[in-house]
Amino acid sequence: MSAHVPPGWPAQVHPPGTERFEDTAMAWLLELVPPEYRRYGVFRRYPPTLVRMARQHVEACVTAAREGFRTARVDLGESVPPHGVEALLEVYRREGTRLAALAEAIKLVEAALREQSPSPSPGPSTPAP
């Protein structure tokens, strides 16, 4: 892959404009959503639907990680020793960083898919009354 990609571009996705870009983007996005989503054909037929689901899923994971980080000491303080809570907080820090980078990568892929795809033509119009 010799084409230029912006910083934060996912390594698993070929650069925009290359022959396999959309295929690799779709495969990567499918890896980001729950496996059950693969059975819905709408995601393969309409890439923007898969991008939306992946973006929302990862954003929800970021939100959950932030909430978990904020509440871990209180929720686990009586049942987990302090070093265990600290270890968990480190997991939240690392995963939070990874998830935030993933959310940014999704935005990059989304923009590239949007640039590559022609705008959908409007459906049949209804005459004005």
Side-chain angles (χ1 to χ4, degrees), residues 62-78:
V62 168
T63 300
R66 287 178 179 153
E67 177 68 13
F69 184 87
R70 280 193 300 273
T71 61
R73 287 186 198 282
V74 172
D75 291 350
L76 300 172
E78 293 182 17

Side-chain angles (χ1 to χ4, degrees), residues 24-109:
T24 58
M26 296 296 287
W28 178 71
L29 289 164
L30 280 169
E31 290 295 318
L32 303 181
V33 297
E36 298 80 19
Y37 286 25
R38 292 167 197 245
R39 65 181 132 178
Y40 301 108
V42 67
F43 297 133
R44 293 191 195 282
R45 282 191 302 277
Y46 305 105
T49 62
L50 178 57
V51 171
R52 177 184 169 90
M53 292 298 278
R55 184 172 23 85
Q56 289 177 331
H57 180 73
V58 170
E59 287 171 359
C61 290
V62 168
T63 300
R66 287 178 179 153
E67 177 68 13
F69 184 87
R70 280 193 300 273
T71 61
R73 287 186 198 282
V74 172
D75 291 350
L76 300 172
E78 293 182 17
S79 60
V80 177
H83 67 276
V85 173
E86 286 303 319
L88 175 62
L89 293 175
E90 182 57 27
V91 170
Y92 279 126
R93 284 183 198 100
R94 288 182 184 188
E95 280 302 296
T97 300
R98 183 187 70 81
L99 290 166
L102 195 54
E104 289 303 313
I106 291 169
K107 289 177 186 175
L108 294 172
V109 171

